[in-house]
């Protein structure tokens, strides 16, 4: 049973990100000019301005940078309260906001190795797989 989530951003470039997730791959854009991995999805590199960005499959590994528990209903009932959010520094560089998977906030530590997993979700655009992070 997919979890209901807030609506994703869809369209050019975003669809390629979600197609990767559907295949169990965390695919982000790497700048062909300077090599920086961009996130969130963008039309130009934030480092050098180049529009030459190519999707590649990342390792899915990272380290826990921060986390918090939301008690306020920002999503008007779409997400049950409270819900946990994590900030992960991906091995390839970007900071990635996500949800923890099988991980309680009391067990989280800064610098803890984590890896991506994918859970079944749905929004107004249909069923999709959401990248979430668990203990590595
Ligand atoms: Zn660049």
């Amino acid at each position: 049973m997919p979890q209901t989530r807030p609506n994703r951003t869809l369209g050019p470039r975003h669809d390629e990100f979600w197609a990767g997730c559907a295949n169990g791959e965390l695919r982000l854009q790497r700048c062909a000019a300077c090599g920086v991995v961009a996130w969130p999805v963008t039309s130009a590199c934030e480092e050098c301005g180049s529009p030459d960005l190519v999707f590649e499959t990342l390792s899915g590994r990272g380290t826990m940078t921060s986390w918090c528990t939301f008690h306020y209903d920002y999503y008007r009932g779409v997400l049950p309260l409270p819900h946990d959010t994590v900030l992960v520094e991906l091995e390839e560089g970007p900071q990635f906001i996500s949800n923890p998977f099988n991980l309680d906030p009391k067990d989280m530590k800064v610098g803890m190795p984590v890896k991506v997993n994918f859970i079944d979700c749905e929004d107004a655009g249909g069923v999709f797989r959401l990248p979430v992070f668990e203990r590595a």
Side-chain angles (χ1 to χ4, degrees):
M1 184 82 177
Q3 297 180 21
T4 301
R5 292 298 174 124
N7 292 333
R8 296 163 288 162
T9 301
L10 299 174
R13 295 177 289 278
H14 296 278
D15 290 350
E16 195 159 349
F17 168 77
W18 292 112
C21 293
N23 288 330
E25 299 174 343
L26 188 62
R27 299 181 68 214
L28 302 188
Q29 300 164 290
R30 184 181 293 277
C31 177
C34 76
V36 164
V37 175
W39 179 253
V41 172
T42 185
S43 59
C45 177
E46 289 185 6
E47 192 69 27
C48 74
S50 172
D52 192 6
L53 300 160
V54 180
F55 276 91
E56 70 175 44
T57 301
L58 304 188
S59 67
R61 292 187 299 267
T63 56
M64 185 78 71
T65 301
S66 188
W67 59 91
C68 68
T69 299
F70 285 89
H71 297 273
Y72 183 81
D73 191 14
Y74 287 106
Y75 296 105
R76 300 190 175 110
V78 174
L79 291 176
L81 293 173
H83 61 89
D84 301 320
T85 299
V86 295
L87 179 63
V88 172
E89 182 175 322
L90 299 175
E91 195 171 77
E92 293 83 359
Q95 299 282 326
F96 196 94
I97 296 172
S98 179
N99 297 127
F101 181 69
N102 288 336
L103 193 53
D104 192 279
K106 70 178 175 10
D107 299 322
M108 296 180 194
K109 291 182 173 60
V110 172
M112 185 175 83
V114 292
K115 63 181 180 181
V116 73
N117 200 332
F118 296 87
I119 61 172
D120 295 331
C121 293
E122 66 181 341
D123 66 5
V127 176
F128 66 99
R129 297 185 77 200
L130 181 71
V132 292
F133 283 83
E134 63 186 349
R135 189 189 300 267

